[in-house]
Amino acid sequence: MFSACPRFSRFLASAFLAGISVWLSACQTVPKAVAPSATPQIAEKVRKHTRYSRMAERELPEIEAAFGGVYHDAKAERMIARIVGRMTAAAPDHGITYSLTILNSPRVNAFALPGGYIFVTRGMLALADDSAELAGILGHEMGHIIANHGVKRARFEQAQIERLRAAAGTLVDPEARASALAESQRKVAAFSREQEVQADKTGVSIEGRAGYDPYSSVRLLSTMEAFSRFETRGATEKTEPDFLADHPNSPARSAAIRVNAARFGRTGVGERGRDAYLDGIDGMLFGYPPQAGYVRGRQFLHPELGIGFTVPKGFILENNSDAVLAAGPDGVAIRFDSVDLTGNGSMSRYLRSGWVVGLDDGSVRSRTINGLPAATGDATTENWHFRITVIRSGDHIYRILTAAPKDDRALEAAARSTEASFHALTWRERRQLKPLHLHIVTVKPGESVADLARRMQGTDRPEGLFRLINQLSDTERVKAGERVKLVY
């Protein structure tokens, strides 16, 4: 959470992350599975260093840092290598060498860079349920790389920007300018949808030729939508983008995937490879690593910094790369971050040091919160009211900013509740904080969903999360002998 926010180049932001594609993105029946080489080589040694691959390589350090770095897990890497090899053998030969890197992030995401670089987060691996679903992700991203979509979208967006700049000098009417901007955005969105449809079609074709279940993306799309609703508790917006943010699912899109998959046979055709997949992710880290701090229900706890706080009931807590964010009812929101301590000045002086826009100087008050020096103050903008709390602990100043629409009475209670909960962790609290892992267990005779959900940790809705990561409906039961995922 406290890592510096990376500044991507314009090309990366508009081209590569445009490829933050939802993998969700052929003949008659699924052919015999295409096997990868029996003597695989490391991608870095055989990759042709084209202009696009060199361009991507320059961006690798920043993009890896933005997603928590690279996650290394020998079992998972071997499992993934087999799937990548099989998909590569089934892909059209364009002289592209593909590699897949696991990113150390719990967010559900995957994307590709030009030159054959594909990335998938731990969060995506935890949500997928079998080898075919991961193959579906890979196929979609391979489709983007083969069609060079990232660079094409960057050029298209640049052309739209140039048109808007030219129009700005002639369109004096604000409404005309707004209309031109909306039209430009519509064209970019339509261009992106066309790319997604093309990547879906290519991905399903590769997956089918590789012998995997070509319908897998439809299942995973549905799971991702359910997971998104679960995370936001039904809210319409998320604070951090994921797969579905840039590439929302739709009935038409899923239907198109089914049409392309039907070329290989009816639903149920192709290999799913669930056991091999579950073996690969067994023991994988789940959620945030210790250095990022833990979200446990409504609590944020950071064992290395030794601090913690709790947001009010009804708030959704989310740990992002540069801050902890919480969204609550009635439009109230909370942001928590930290800065390194400089000097020995008072907290009220720091609050008045110029970093708060619209600060009411007369509202600033020095305080002590759970034995720690602190200060609070109010600020206003045209439509918003803010309560800012700064707390000093160790070598850091921690900042809690609570925001609400003007005249919203809920702000005061939310701000007071959150700041009052901030405290230095006790030795016992630190000792009890441990990272969560994904474990694969076999259902015993007589065990129910409720029994298994009771073993889940790190969530205030254990049964809901259990059903989601195991792709079980609200009424579906578990069966003795089947393998399921647990988090503890």
Side-chain angles (χ1 to χ4, degrees):
M1 105 163 201
F2 297 112
S3 60
C5 184
R7 296 183 178 179
F8 297 111
S9 69
R10 174 178 295 180
F11 187 87
L12 175 65
S14 61
F16 297 162
L17 295 189
I20 283 188
S21 40
V22 207
W23 36 272
L24 305 172
S25 57
C27 328
Q28 290 79 27
T29 59
V30 174
K32 183 178 180 180
V34 179
S37 169
T39 57
Q41 302 182 60
I42 296 174
E44 284 69 19
K45 292 184 178 180
V46 299
R47 174 174 277 123
K48 295 180 180 179
H49 290 273
T50 63
R51 177 166 62 93
Y52 293 139
S53 65
R54 289 194 299 271
M55 198 179 299
E57 286 162 7
R58 289 195 295 268
E59 305 291 350
L60 290 179
E62 283 195 60
I63 203 163
E64 289 172 359
F67 285 86
V70 176
Y71 179 73
H72 294 289
D73 183 305
K75 287 200 289 70
E77 289 167 355
R78 285 194 297 269
M79 176 268 292
I80 288 171
R82 287 192 292 268
I83 298 174
V84 172
R86 189 162 151 179
M87 292 288 286
T88 300
D93 184 9
H94 292 277
I96 302 171
T97 301
Y98 299 97
S99 63
L100 189 147
T101 299
I102 307 173
L103 296 173
N104 195 19
S105 170
R107 305 306 308 168
V108 177
N109 220 328
F111 52 92
L113 302 186
Y117 295 92
I118 300 174
F119 299 83
V120 62
T121 60
R122 282 191 292 102
M124 180 67 85
L125 293 179
L127 204 59
D129 202 49
D130 54 45
S131 298
E133 291 184 6
L134 179 56
I137 297 170
L138 287 172
H140 183 93
E141 298 307 334
M142 292 166 77
H144 279 300
I145 293 170
I146 291 168
N148 204 20
H149 281 162
V151 176
K152 289 179 181 178
R153 175 167 170 175
R155 291 171 179 166
F156 186 83
E157 288 184 337
Q158 186 61 37
Q160 294 301 310
I161 291 171
E162 294 301 325
R163 290 192 185 96
L164 282 174
R165 286 175 178 168
T170 57
L171 297 176
V172 180
D173 184 1
E175 290 188 7
R177 290 189 180 186
S179 177
L181 176 60
E183 176 64 13
S184 176
Q185 292 172 335
R186 185 194 65 76
K187 288 181 179 179
V188 171
F191 188 79
S192 297
R193 285 194 297 271
E194 290 175 6
Q195 290 186 334
E196 292 307 305
V197 170
Q198 184 180 353
D200 283 340
K201 186 174 182 179
T202 302
V204 169
S205 179
I206 296 172
E207 187 176 14
R209 287 199 298 268
Y212 287 112
D213 173 11
Y215 295 87
S216 63
S217 292
V218 176
R219 292 196 306 274
L220 190 50
L221 269 171
S222 178
T223 301
M224 288 174 58
E225 284 187 311
F227 185 69
S228 182
R229 291 192 298 270
F230 177 84
E231 276 197 309
T232 60
R233 300 177 193 259
T236 56
E237 294 184 2
K238 297 181 68 175
T239 55
E240 185 169 289
D242 61 10
F243 240 23
L244 293 179
D246 286 339
H247 306 80
N249 185 24
S250 68
R253 188 170 186 185
S254 293
I257 292 173
R258 289 191 182 95
V259 168
N260 290 319
R263 299 174 183 177
F264 295 93
R266 296 181 179 180
T267 303
V269 72
E271 180 184 334
R272 294 185 63 171
R274 188 169 188 267
D275 282 336
Y277 184 79
L278 294 181
D279 288 341
I281 64 172
D282 188 20
M284 186 176 66
L285 183 66
F286 187 90
Y288 287 93
Q291 60 269 26
Y294 300 128
V295 171
R296 297 287 190 265
R298 293 185 293 113
Q299 284 186 304
F300 176 75
L301 305 162
H302 203 301
E304 294 188 4
L305 296 175
I307 55 93
F309 65 91
T310 304
V311 296
K313 290 182 179 180
F315 277 71
I316 303 164
L317 193 59
E318 185 174 320
N319 189 359
N320 287 350
S321 59
D322 58 346
V324 178
L325 306 175
D330 303 319
V332 182
I334 298 169
R335 175 188 171 94
F336 173 83
D337 66 7
S338 76
V339 294
D340 293 335
L341 181 64
T342 55
N344 296 314
S346 68
M347 290 297 93
S348 59
R349 184 179 301 173
Y350 171 73
L351 193 52
R352 291 187 172 107
S353 63
W355 60 277
V356 180
V357 177
L359 179 69
D360 177 3
D361 191 75
S363 69
V364 176
R365 298 285 185 274
S366 294
R367 299 182 52 194
T368 299
I369 296 177
N370 292 320
L372 300 171
T376 60
D378 296 328
T380 56
T381 60
E382 184 177 355
N383 298 311
W384 291 84
H385 181 205
F386 304 90
R387 168 65 55 82
I388 304 97
T389 303
V390 292
I391 306 169
R392 177 177 176 175
S393 179
D395 296 330
H396 293 85
I397 297 174
Y398 298 97
R399 308 186 297 192
I400 303 172
L401 187 149
T402 308
K406 269 190 177 179
D407 302 320
D408 191 326
R409 298 179 181 179
L411 181 142
E412 183 74 17
R416 288 188 177 278
S417 171
T418 304
E419 68 187 29
S421 72
F422 185 92
H423 66 287
L425 298 181
T426 65
W427 174 82
R428 176 170 292 183
E429 283 179 310
R430 288 197 192 203
R431 184 182 179 186
Q432 291 176 342
L433 279 175
K434 296 180 181 179
L436 300 172
H437 291 84
L438 199 65
H439 297 276
I440 308 303
V441 302
T442 301
V443 179
K444 298 176 182 177
E447 276 190 313
S448 67
V449 167
D451 295 329
L452 292 161
R454 278 193 283 271
R455 298 170 61 184
M456 297 275 287
Q457 297 179 11
T459 175
D460 57 351
R461 293 170 292 165
E463 183 169 328
L465 182 59
F466 175 83
R467 288 186 178 277
L468 272 170
I469 62 176
N470 289 291
Q471 297 190 358
L472 297 172
S473 69
D474 292 342
T475 58
E476 198 169 352
R477 300 178 180 181
V478 291
K479 300 175 183 177
E482 70 178 335
R483 306 173 77 196
V484 294
K485 307 171 191 170
L486 287 180
V487 176
Y488 58 85

